[in-house]
C-alpha cells in the first residue's frame, strides 16, 4: 500500500490557538465523560452515524470497524501508557473522521515514525501503533507546553 501521509511531532497547541489544556474530554450521548476505550468507541460510532453519514455518503461497516479499531488502540494506549485519557475528540472531515486523543505523558511512542511493521514475536503488546499507522492517515503527535501530548489522526471512511 502506497502511503503518502506523514507522521510529525510538534510542541504546539491545537489549531485556532486553543490550548491543549482547554480541550474538553468528549462526552458520550448520555453526557458521561469518555474515559475508557469502550466509551470512546461508542462516541465515535455515534458521531459517524449522526454527523458524518448523510444521504449522499455513508460509511461502510468495514470502514467503521477500522475507525473503532483505531479509536480502541489510541484510547487504550493513552490509558495504559500515557497516564490517562485527558481529552478525546471526534470530528467529521472530508473523506473520514479526525480523532484527537490527549494523555498525560510526554513520551512519543517509539513506533510512531515507523513503517507500521508488526513485532516479530508476540510479547502481549506492540501491535497498537502498527495498526494505527496502517489504518489512519495524517498522524501527528504534539507535545503540550503544560505536559502530555495530543495524537491526531484521520481515519478514512470512504
Amino acid at each position: 500500500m502506497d502511503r503518502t501521509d506523514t507522521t510529525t511531532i510538534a510542541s504546539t497547541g491545537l489549531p485556532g490557538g486553543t490550548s491543549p489544556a482547554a480541550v474538553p474530554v468528549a462526552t458520550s450521548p448520555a453526557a458521561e465523560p469518555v474515559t475508557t476505550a469502550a466509551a470512546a468507541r461508542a462516541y465515535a460510532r455515534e458521531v459517524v452515524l449522526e454527523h458524518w453519514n448523510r444521504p449522499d455518503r455513508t460509511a461502510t461497516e468495514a470502514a467503521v470497524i477500522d475507525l473503532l479499531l483505531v479509536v480502541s488502540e489510541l484510547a487504550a494506549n493513552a490509558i495504559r501508557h500515557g497516564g490517562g485519557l485527558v481529552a478525546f475528540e471526534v470530528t467529521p472531515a472530508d473523506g473520514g473522521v479526525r480523532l484527537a486523543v490527549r494523555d498525560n505523558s510526554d513520551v512519543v511512542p517509539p513506533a510512531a515514525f515507523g513503517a507500521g511493521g508488526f513485532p516479530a514475536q508476540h510479547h502481549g503488546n506492540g501491535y497498537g501503533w502498527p495498526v494505527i499507522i496502517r489504518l489512519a492517515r495524517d498522524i501527528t503527535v504534539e507535545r503540550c507546553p503544560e505536559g502530555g501530548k495530543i495524537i491526531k489522526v484521520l481515519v478514512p471512511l470512504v
Side-chain angles (χ1 to χ4, degrees), residues 5 8 21 24 36 47 49 51-52 67 72 76 81 84 96 101 104 107 113 124 143 148 154:
D5 61 305
T8 58
T36 67
V47 169
L49 294 176
H51 302 286
W52 197 86
L67 169 66
S72 290
H81 306 293
V101 178
N104 288 308
V107 177
F113 301 105
R143 288 196 173 106
L154 171 69

Side-chain angles (χ1 to χ4, degrees), residues 56-150:
D56 63 326
R57 83 172 176 212
T58 302
T60 65
E61 188 60 26
V64 172
I65 289 169
D66 287 351
L67 169 66
L68 299 180
L69 184 55
V70 172
V71 167
S72 290
E73 292 300 334
L74 288 171
N77 284 349
I79 294 164
R80 182 178 300 135
H81 306 293
L85 182 59
V86 175
F88 178 74
E89 291 184 346
V90 181
T91 307
D94 288 339
V97 173
R98 293 199 178 277
L99 305 173
V101 178
R102 180 167 180 218
D103 64 33
N104 288 308
S105 173
D106 295 331
V107 177
V108 176
F113 301 105
F118 291 106
Q121 297 179 7
H122 178 67
H123 296 287
N125 59 20
Y127 290 92
W129 264 107
V131 167
I132 292 164
I133 290 170
R134 288 174 183 229
L135 298 177
R137 304 291 177 262
D138 301 332
I139 300 167
T140 62
V141 180
E142 299 176 0
R143 288 196 173 106
C144 302
E146 58 280 329
K149 66 182 168 299
I150 299 172

Side-chain angles (χ1 to χ4, degrees), residues 9 11 16-17 26 35 40 43 47 50 57 97 100 114 137 141 148 152:
I9 184 167
S11 294
T35 57
Y43 181 70
V47 169
E50 291 189 10
R57 83 172 176 212
V97 173
R137 304 291 177 262
V141 180
K152 297 179 184 179

